[in-house]
């Protein structure tokens, strides 16, 4: 089976927009669920609902793949699974290395969805000498001193960073220097990488903060009608009177200004 180091997905050369590429995994997940239920065909409306997009956008996305479905029948589920998998580069083996085997790194190592989606965890790496040799998800943890050799020996394509923020950039630099050009970053920091290196960032705290913003907004919208119903008009404001002797005829750029400004 070919490794990911010898082949790159064809999406960029074919001019598929990045927004469409970002939705392809959503379609693939919905299609895989249909395939597991032995559903032979699916309409654009049904698939769009399952993927959480509108049907017009789905049809436009699929047109970039050269797939237009059949009127009155819909899309062939198995063919679309193959077609999208091919575009995403999932018809081959992509060796992955996870650096940072704390709680998050261990959880990622134990995630069973990697293998079924074309990714193989080739190595687990941690800076703690006490972790060296300990099995996590059946894979022995190796020390960061061996990072470059591990990447070369396993033909690693993708690096996953699950370290604390302070260590993430140094790990990123070493991954890039070793030939890694695709990085998934779980560390709560922004990584600096050279041109040609793709970084996808996953920050759970940011996602939670965005949800908190929407919760606050919804709470404010619910409260606003209640406040409006019981609102009391503000007291009248007394008109401004210039001090005795003030030149009431002076004009400023915004209208009348008092002749004597308070100290």
């Amino acid at each position: 089976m070919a490794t990911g180091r010898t082949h790159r997905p064809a999406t960029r050369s074919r001019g598929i927009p990045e927004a469409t590429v970002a939705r392809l995994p959503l379609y693939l997940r919905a299609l895989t669920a249909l395939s597991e239920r032995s559903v032979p065909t699916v309409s654009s409306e049904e698939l769009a609902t399952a993927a959480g997009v509108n049907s017009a956008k789905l049809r436009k996305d699929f047109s970039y793949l050269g797939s237009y479905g059949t009127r009155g029948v819909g899309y062939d589920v198995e063919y679309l699974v193959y077609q999208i998998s091919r575009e995403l580069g999932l018809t081959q083996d992509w060796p992955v290395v996870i650096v940072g085997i704390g709680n998050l790194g261990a959880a990622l190592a134990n995630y069973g969805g990697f293998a079924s989606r074309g990714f193989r965890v080739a190595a687990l790496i941690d800076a703690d000498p006490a972790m060296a040799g300990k099995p996590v998800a059946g894979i022995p943890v190796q020390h960061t001193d061996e990072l470059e050799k591990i990447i070369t020996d396993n033909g690693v394509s993708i690096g996953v960073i699950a370290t604390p923020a302070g260590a993430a950039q140094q790990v990123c630099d070493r991954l890039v220097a070793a030939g890694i050009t695709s990085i998934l970053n779980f560390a709560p920091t922004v990584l600096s990488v050279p041109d040609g290196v793709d970084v996808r960032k996953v920050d759970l705290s940011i996602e939670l903060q965005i949800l908190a913003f929407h919760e606050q907004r919804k709470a404010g919208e619910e409260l606003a009608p209640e406040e409006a119903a019981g609102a009391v008009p503000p007291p009248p404001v007394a008109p401004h009177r210039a001090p005795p002797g003030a030149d009431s005829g002076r004009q400023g750029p915004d209208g009348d200004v008092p002749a004597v400004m308070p100290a």
Side-chain angles (χ1 to χ4, degrees):
M1 182 178 289
T3 65
R5 298 299 292 276
T6 60
H7 176 74
R8 304 287 291 178
T11 53
R12 290 180 182 174
S13 62
R14 290 172 53 137
I16 299 179
E18 285 296 323
T20 296
V21 174
R23 287 189 289 269
L24 291 181
L26 303 179
Y27 302 140
L28 182 58
R29 181 172 61 191
L31 286 163
T32 300
L34 291 171
S35 176
E36 290 172 349
R37 287 159 35 206
S38 300
V39 176
T41 59
V42 63
S43 70
S44 58
E45 289 78 11
E46 291 170 332
L47 184 54
T49 299
V53 302
N54 67 64
S55 58
K57 184 174 293 182
L58 178 143
R59 287 190 291 269
K60 179 67 173 178
D61 288 342
F62 284 0
S63 72
Y64 290 110
L65 307 180
S67 186
Y68 297 93
T70 303
R71 184 178 295 276
V73 176
Y75 294 92
D76 184 289
V77 170
E78 291 299 332
Y79 179 68
L80 268 184
V81 167
Y82 163 76
Q83 199 172 22
I84 294 176
S85 296
R86 182 190 62 190
E87 288 298 331
L88 291 174
L90 303 182
T91 55
Q92 58 189 330
D93 179 38
W94 294 96
V96 175
V97 62
I98 301 175
V99 185
I101 312 303
N103 291 335
L104 178 57
L108 293 172
N110 279 283
Y111 174 56
F114 285 134
S116 64
R117 289 167 173 81
F119 302 96
R120 173 174 58 87
V121 178
L124 305 177
I125 302 176
D126 197 272
D128 184 359
M131 289 288 295
K134 289 187 176 181
V136 175
I139 304 172
V141 176
Q142 301 178 70
H143 193 266
T144 49
D145 288 348
E146 303 178 67
L147 186 146
E148 288 80 6
K149 183 177 185 301
I150 292 167
I151 289 172
T152 301
D153 289 351
N154 291 277
V156 175
S157 306
I158 300 171
V160 178
I161 298 177
T163 66
Q169 185 62 58
Q170 182 183 13
V171 169
C172 175
D173 293 342
R174 291 181 64 185
L175 290 173
V176 172
I180 297 294
T181 57
S182 295
I183 295 172
L184 181 61
N185 178 34
F186 283 89
T189 187
V190 176
L191 299 176
S192 176
V193 297
D195 290 341
V197 176
D198 295 314
V199 176
R200 299 287 297 182
K201 180 172 174 56
V202 180
D203 193 322
L204 301 179
S205 64
I206 287 178
E207 299 303 323
L208 287 171
Q209 289 168 12
I210 293 172
L211 289 174
F213 165 81
H214 289 295
E215 282 299 311
Q216 178 175 259
R217 171 169 287 189
K218 285 184 284 187
E221 290 173 351
E222 292 171 358
L223 189 59
E226 297 175 5
E227 292 179 335
V232 178
V237 179
H240 171 75
R241 299 183 183 279
D247 182 2
S248 60
R250 287 206 325 167
Q251 293 284 318
D254 297 316
D256 293 341
V257 296
V260 180
M261 298 297 292

